[in-house]
Amino acid sequence: MKRPRKFVTSGGLGVMGFGLPGAIGAQFGKPDETVVLVTGDGSIQMTINELGTAAEQKLPLKIFVLNNNRLGMVRQLQEFYCDKRYIAVDFSFVPDFAGLAQVYGFKGFRVKTAEELEATLKEAFSFPGPVLVDCQVDPEENVMPMVLAGKDICDAIDNE
Ligand SMILES: Cc1ncc(C[n+]2csc(CCOP(=O)(O)OP(=O)(O)O)c2C)c(N)n1
């Protein structure tokens, strides 16, 4: 596969819900390219109705939902700054994203291990139509490196 050349983001705004409509726009702009969306389970639920737009417009998006059942970035901040006193970051319910995507006419997958992901990647990218892969991620997994508030970028912390 070719290396990705162009990335679309909501810029410094970091707006949840931008990803899916952003991917739809990118696919319209580059109809012959493979458009890949990597999104969180919280973020995609903010504009998940746009799966219908993608289906209606027959856009062959490849969507990967990093599904940690959490508003993970906020959970991570509460871990570091609030001594794990978590509030309003757990989803007691998230939909079956693979099943939901299938209802919208996507091919849906759910993966739990790196091996499953590797096999599914091949299927996802060889399939000509739209695909959504629900990637089950450890809810306590952190995004690193991280720069703590007030610290210099050189003092970024890593997993250890
Ligand atoms: C519209 C909007 N609301 C709230 C936020 C604040 N916010 C930043 S990250 C985040 C959690 C994102 O959760 P998810 O999309 O599941 O991704 P994760 O951090 O778990 O990878 C929130 C609530 C935001 N960036 N945009």
Side-chain angles (χ1 to χ4, degrees), residues 132-147:
L132 183 147
V133 185
D134 179 351
C135 308
Q136 308 264 307
V137 177
D138 182 344
E140 300 278 317
E141 185 78 46
N142 281 328
V143 176
M144 293 292 174
M146 177 185 187
V147 181

Side-chain angles (χ1 to χ4, degrees), residues 13-16 40-43 46 66 68 70-74 91:
L13 299 174
V15 188
M16 292 174 70
D41 49 317
S43 294
M46 301 194 92
L66 301 187
N68 55 8
R70 298 288 184 280
L71 294 170
M73 196 181 96
V74 183
F91 286 118

Side-chain angles (χ1 to χ4, degrees), residues 35-97:
V35 174
V36 180
L37 167 63
V38 180
T39 182
D41 49 317
S43 294
I44 196 169
Q45 287 190 84
M46 301 194 92
T47 49
I48 202 157
N49 52 307
E50 297 303 336
L51 288 176
T53 308
E56 180 192 72
Q57 298 296 326
K58 300 191 172 29
L59 304 178
L61 302 178
K62 311 299 176 197
I63 302 177
F64 295 83
V65 181
L66 301 187
N67 182 3
N68 55 8
N69 247 263
R70 298 288 184 280
L71 294 170
M73 196 181 96
V74 183
R75 186 212 61 77
Q76 183 168 338
L77 293 173
Q78 292 179 359
E79 175 181 337
F80 281 86
Y81 294 111
C82 308
D83 203 18
K84 295 195 176 181
R85 289 190 298 277
Y86 295 133
I87 186 157
V89 291
D90 293 21
F91 286 118
S92 57
F93 172 83
V94 291
D96 166 6
F97 288 108

